[in-house]
Amino acid sequence: MLPEEQELSRLETDQATLEERVTTAELELETLKVELSQFQYRYYQRPGRLYAELDDWEARIAMVEAGMHPDDVDAQFRAQAAEEQARRSAEEAGTIEKSPFPPPEITPETKQAFRKAAKLMHPDRATTDTERERRNVMMAKVNRAYESGDLETIEKLIVEFGQDPEAIQGDDLGARMIKAIRRIAQLRRRAEEIDKQLSETQSHELYELMVTVQQAEALGSDPIGDLVQEILRQISERKIKLEMMTLTQEPIGNVLGV
């Protein structure tokens, strides 16, 4: 084997290794997005809704207190802040409730199909702007299908895309080496992008909460159930507090004898 052929073989081996790494990372990123979506839905179906209700009671109390002390700037500010928080919580809860069904579980078959599609039609495999745009459109469709657990659509997209033009052999040795070098550079850039996206996603509060809940559940605990009970207790307290304030129309400290 000529030295040039040996170098090409090495480059193509490196390329194949990087392609496998990028495909695996793409799958990890998309799967993480789905898992976070599932957890978010689950969370807002229970404590999320109750937090919105708790914030609403807090806002009501703050408004009554502001009415009792019209000249108290701090009381007015607290009322406005509580009202804004209640509005945001209600909007968040409403956004989740617009989706009547939780995101689906991703099956091993769907993951395998995604890997196949990503290897076949990833935009970084394009050699022209037109081909890159075509691949971007197709991968966007694949990502949407994956997030909804739609294996059939992913398989149809693979067939629709057809055989990868980059797989055609017969180029001269020099051209193949240049193509491999450029492809390796593209793959390295994409790997860095995915690593950054994964890092950003894993630093999000929702991800940290999901991991904490999963770890507790693995030990047999029910952290979400415990949280629900605690929020219900707080809601009950706020209801009693507001009722006492409304009945007396006096500062809550006087009502409680504080």
Side-chain angles (χ1 to χ4, degrees):
M1 181 181 290
L2 296 174
E4 294 84 355
E5 293 175 329
Q6 291 178 342
E7 177 63 11
L8 176 60
S9 177
R10 183 190 68 79
L11 288 170
E12 290 180 338
T13 298
D14 289 348
Q15 177 180 327
T17 300
L18 277 169
E19 285 178 342
E20 180 64 23
R21 176 190 167 192
V22 168
T23 300
T24 299
E26 293 271 16
L27 177 61
E28 180 183 356
L29 179 60
E30 290 303 318
T31 300
L32 180 57
K33 290 179 181 178
V34 173
E35 289 176 347
L36 282 173
S37 181
Q38 292 171 340
F39 178 77
Q40 184 181 46
Y41 182 91
R42 175 188 170 200
Y43 182 81
Y44 275 105
Q45 286 299 306
R46 297 181 68 191
R49 288 180 176 181
L50 291 175
Y51 268 129
E53 183 179 349
L54 178 61
D55 286 341
D56 181 62
W57 285 106
E58 292 280 14
R60 295 187 193 187
I61 291 172
M63 292 297 292
V64 171
E65 289 180 333
M68 290 177 173
H69 306 282
D71 297 327
D72 188 333
V73 176
D74 289 340
Q76 306 305 314
F77 177 79
R78 286 194 297 271
Q80 292 178 0
E83 192 173 22
E84 176 62 20
Q85 177 60 45
R87 183 189 63 78
R88 287 197 301 268
S89 296
E91 286 181 353
E92 290 177 1
T95 298
I96 299 300
E97 289 176 0
K98 288 179 181 178
S99 176
F101 303 106
E105 295 291 336
I106 303 300
T107 65
E109 293 78 13
T110 306
K111 291 182 179 181
Q112 183 177 2
F114 179 89
R115 289 175 64 89
K116 182 177 180 180
K119 284 185 176 182
L120 178 66
M121 60 184 76
H122 199 283
D124 285 346
R125 297 184 67 89
T127 56
T128 66
D129 290 341
T130 300
E131 179 63 14
R132 175 176 289 275
E133 179 60 26
R134 176 191 177 222
R135 289 168 179 267
N136 278 327
V137 171
M138 294 297 289
M139 275 306 301
K141 292 180 180 179
V142 169
N143 288 338
R144 287 196 296 271
Y146 182 76
E147 290 170 4
S148 61
D150 190 348
L151 173 61
E152 182 179 355
T153 294
I154 295 177
E155 291 177 336
K156 287 181 179 179
L157 288 169
I158 291 173
V159 173
E160 178 183 339
F161 185 81
Q163 186 177 9
D164 184 0
E166 293 295 312
I168 298 175
Q169 302 298 316
D171 294 341
D172 64 81
L173 190 64
R176 289 173 61 191
M177 289 181 67
I178 293 173
K179 183 184 294 185
I181 291 170
R182 291 179 178 177
R183 174 67 176 145
I184 288 171
Q186 290 174 334
L187 287 166
R188 285 174 176 164
R189 286 195 297 270
R190 181 54 186 156
E192 290 176 358
E193 291 172 359
I194 297 172
D195 288 343
K196 182 179 179 181
Q197 287 180 277
L198 280 170
S199 178
E200 290 174 349
T201 302
Q202 291 169 345
S203 65
H204 196 280
E205 290 181 357
L206 182 63
Y207 173 81
E208 295 175 356
L209 177 60
M210 180 181 73
V211 171
T212 299
V213 169
Q214 289 174 339
Q215 291 174 343
E217 290 177 338
L219 297 175
S221 300
D222 182 15
I224 290 183
D226 294 341
L227 180 58
V228 165
Q229 294 304 313
E230 173 59 22
I231 301 171
L232 287 172
R233 183 190 65 78
Q234 293 182 35
I235 289 174
S236 179
E237 289 180 351
R238 301 309 187 275
K239 287 180 178 180
I240 294 172
K241 181 177 181 178
L242 181 61
E243 183 177 359
M244 294 174 68
M245 293 173 67
T246 303
L247 288 174
T248 62
Q249 285 296 297
E250 294 180 6
I252 190 63
N254 293 346
V255 174
L256 297 178
V258 178

